[in-house]
Amino acid sequence: MLPLFLTSHKAYFGVLAALFAAGFALCLWFSKQQASLPLLGDYHVYHCDTGGSGKGSFNLLTVSSIFARAIADNLCRAPLMAGHYKSVSISWKPRQQLTAEEVLNEDYDLIWSREHSLRGLVPEYSSYYESLLRYDQYKVFWFSRNDQPQLTREYFRDKKIGLLNDRLSHTFHLLPLASLKQLGVDISRQSLIYFDDASSLYRAFAQGDLDLVSGGLFLEQDLDIPLQRMLIADNVVAATLFVRKARPAEIDCAIATAFDDATAGYFSAHRDFPGAAHCGG
């Protein structure tokens, strides 16, 4: 039997409303008692263990994830690296995110960059780093999933073009924009879509969200889909590998071999370090 004061309909529904409001408030309070989200590390990184007796990690910085895993795995398999390092860590990020402090602190054992970029950050960078490998004779193309690209202003009309959001990148930014400019394309009216990393750029291209992207011949193997291409530039200087001066000299050949094996057929490297002529490969 209901208490006497609930026999009134007005009082009865008033109590129900109060109970509902209290329950709703309690649900809101519980919904706020969520576990704090874990802090995520830099996902632009790949690690591997050498399995050797060395200590510490050999840290590399590149500007793209392309070839990154193959390079690291090659280094981890090299006996000379295992004798000096316990692991290899390779990371990639836009060139403009490298800081002068990282160069001065020698945070990386090897940096894939260009001389003018390092000199712009730290004019005396050569006190800490020196050239190990120089890559040139590199071809850059326009790639399309449909018809073969044509170097005419009319062809690029209404085309969606993907670029890397890295104003220092020749392959993914400067050369394609220069190509458009030479053809008389009004860049301010062109549909240009920028991406923070090459993986996102090429994923959007593979999904059909872009009509055109620029890149090297490696793109045909990486995407494994039918592509049409047109040459933008020939004999381009791709980049230079700068290595810390404070390093075991005997690892130079292992580094050169690891990069050459990973990039075979796409880049041509000149070895700048002493004793390069005696390296295998």
XYZ file of all heavy atoms in Angstrom, residues 17 20 28-29 55 73 75 96 109 127 137 142 144 163 169 176 178 196 203 207 216 222 249 254 265-266 269:
212
model
N 9.217 12.400 -10.643
C 10.086 13.332 -11.363
C 11.370 13.572 -10.591
O 12.465 13.648 -11.162
C 9.348 14.650 -11.595
N 13.588 10.509 -10.917
C 14.179 10.446 -12.256
C 15.334 11.441 -12.384
O 16.388 11.121 -12.929
C 13.100 10.752 -13.300
C 13.627 10.794 -14.708
C 13.865 9.625 -15.418
C 13.897 12.020 -15.320
C 14.351 9.669 -16.699
C 14.401 12.055 -16.601
C 14.622 10.878 -17.308
N 25.112 10.955 -14.968
C 26.063 11.948 -15.465
C 27.348 11.933 -14.654
O 28.452 12.044 -15.193
C 25.430 13.346 -15.429
C 24.362 13.647 -16.477
C 23.805 15.051 -16.269
C 24.953 13.522 -17.891
N 27.211 11.791 -13.321
C 28.398 11.787 -12.446
C 29.281 10.581 -12.756
O 30.487 10.693 -12.877
C 27.949 11.764 -10.990
C 29.120 11.847 -10.040
C 29.752 12.955 -9.601
C 29.774 10.727 -9.419
N 30.775 12.620 -8.760
C 30.821 11.263 -8.616
C 29.591 9.340 -9.454
C 31.667 10.451 -7.863
C 30.439 8.543 -8.716
C 31.460 9.100 -7.927
N 75.553 -1.611 -26.618
C 74.711 -0.884 -25.674
C 74.099 0.333 -26.365
O 74.661 0.878 -27.310
C 75.530 -0.433 -24.469
C 76.123 -1.585 -23.648
C 76.918 -1.055 -22.471
C 77.505 -2.199 -21.648
N 78.311 -1.698 -20.495
N 65.790 -2.614 -40.357
C 65.989 -4.066 -40.290
C 67.354 -4.468 -40.850
O 68.024 -5.367 -40.315
C 64.877 -4.797 -41.043
C 63.546 -4.762 -40.301
O 63.562 -4.500 -39.079
O 62.500 -4.985 -40.946
N 70.049 -2.663 -40.756
C 71.046 -2.289 -39.752
C 71.041 -3.273 -38.582
O 72.101 -3.622 -38.042
C 70.782 -0.870 -39.249
C 71.129 0.262 -40.220
C 70.627 1.592 -39.678
C 72.642 0.324 -40.447
N 60.927 20.493 -41.331
C 60.915 21.724 -40.546
C 60.750 21.470 -39.049
O 60.887 22.390 -38.247
C 59.830 22.682 -41.033
C 58.398 22.161 -40.904
C 57.939 21.469 -42.159
O 58.745 20.935 -42.901
N 56.631 21.486 -42.408
N 71.964 9.893 -34.420
C 73.248 9.419 -34.927
C 73.361 9.653 -36.427
O 74.471 9.774 -36.952
C 73.408 7.926 -34.623
C 73.470 7.660 -33.127
O 74.522 7.934 -32.535
O 72.454 7.199 -32.571
N 80.586 20.803 -37.216
C 81.359 20.456 -36.013
C 80.816 19.178 -35.376
O 81.505 18.543 -34.573
C 81.301 21.593 -34.987
O 81.892 22.775 -35.499
N 70.951 11.678 -59.104
C 70.458 10.927 -60.267
C 69.100 10.288 -59.970
O 68.823 9.132 -60.293
C 71.471 9.849 -60.684
C 72.815 10.421 -61.073
C 73.836 9.362 -61.435
O 73.487 8.197 -61.619
N 75.086 9.750 -61.549
N 55.129 12.868 -62.239
C 53.711 12.985 -61.935
C 53.107 11.584 -62.078
O 53.372 10.901 -63.068
C 52.996 13.918 -62.917
C 53.181 15.384 -62.694
C 53.780 16.281 -63.530
C 52.704 16.142 -61.577
N 53.736 17.542 -63.004
C 53.078 17.490 -61.805
C 52.032 15.809 -60.410
C 52.776 18.502 -60.892
C 51.739 16.820 -59.502
C 52.106 18.147 -59.741
N 49.422 9.300 -62.031
C 47.968 9.307 -62.112
C 47.469 7.875 -62.097
O 48.147 6.961 -62.584
C 47.512 10.007 -63.398
O 46.126 9.787 -63.629
N 50.034 17.209 -52.158
C 51.387 17.686 -51.868
C 51.714 17.425 -50.411
O 50.815 17.296 -49.566
C 51.518 19.187 -52.150
C 51.297 19.662 -53.582
C 51.313 21.187 -53.629
C 52.350 19.102 -54.517
N 60.679 20.073 -49.132
C 60.706 18.813 -49.872
C 60.707 19.085 -51.369
O 59.751 19.651 -51.911
C 59.499 17.945 -49.502
O 59.424 16.817 -50.352
N 56.846 19.631 -57.901
C 55.514 19.664 -58.530
C 54.959 21.077 -58.682
O 54.340 21.391 -59.700
C 54.650 18.810 -57.591
C 55.424 18.684 -56.334
C 56.855 18.782 -56.692
N 56.789 23.789 -59.063
C 57.561 24.396 -60.151
C 57.061 23.918 -61.512
O 56.996 24.685 -62.479
C 59.042 24.074 -59.980
N 50.490 15.886 -44.001
C 51.607 16.027 -43.067
C 52.693 14.980 -43.271
O 53.814 15.157 -42.819
C 51.106 15.977 -41.616
C 50.336 17.231 -41.238
O 50.610 18.282 -41.838
O 49.474 17.153 -40.351
N 48.142 7.261 -49.292
C 46.921 6.522 -48.951
C 45.702 7.204 -49.585
O 44.823 6.526 -50.140
C 46.765 6.431 -47.434
C 45.560 5.593 -46.998
C 45.663 5.195 -45.534
N 45.837 6.328 -44.648
C 46.965 6.583 -43.972
N 47.997 5.779 -44.091
N 47.050 7.635 -43.179
N 43.257 5.629 -52.538
C 41.813 5.530 -52.319
C 41.003 6.311 -53.343
O 39.779 6.276 -53.318
C 41.476 6.014 -50.905
C 42.010 5.122 -49.808
C 41.850 5.731 -48.421
O 41.511 6.914 -48.274
N 42.092 4.934 -47.400
N 58.911 9.261 -56.779
C 59.906 8.495 -57.514
C 59.346 7.171 -57.981
O 58.177 6.834 -57.713
N 55.392 0.425 -54.149
C 54.735 0.595 -52.850
C 53.217 0.480 -52.955
O 52.575 -0.139 -52.107
C 55.110 1.953 -52.249
C 56.490 1.945 -51.621
O 57.150 0.895 -51.689
O 56.898 2.981 -51.069
N 84.020 4.314 -36.377
C 84.235 4.446 -37.824
C 83.911 3.162 -38.576
O 83.515 3.202 -39.751
C 85.679 4.864 -38.089
N 78.544 -0.606 -42.859
C 77.266 -1.251 -42.538
C 76.103 -0.309 -42.823
O 75.052 -0.729 -43.334
C 77.253 -1.696 -41.077
N 67.843 0.492 -56.885
C 67.014 0.717 -58.062
C 66.296 2.048 -58.074
O 65.728 2.443 -59.102
N 66.279 2.755 -56.932
C 65.565 4.022 -56.852
C 66.499 5.218 -56.668
O 66.217 6.315 -57.110
C 64.562 3.989 -55.694
C 63.581 2.852 -55.800
C 63.573 1.816 -54.876
C 62.662 2.802 -56.846
C 62.670 0.766 -54.977
C 61.759 1.758 -56.960
C 61.773 0.746 -56.012
O 60.890 -0.294 -56.122
N 73.817 6.328 -54.837
C 74.522 6.953 -53.720
C 76.003 7.119 -54.006
O 76.645 6.232 -54.584
C 74.336 6.121 -52.456
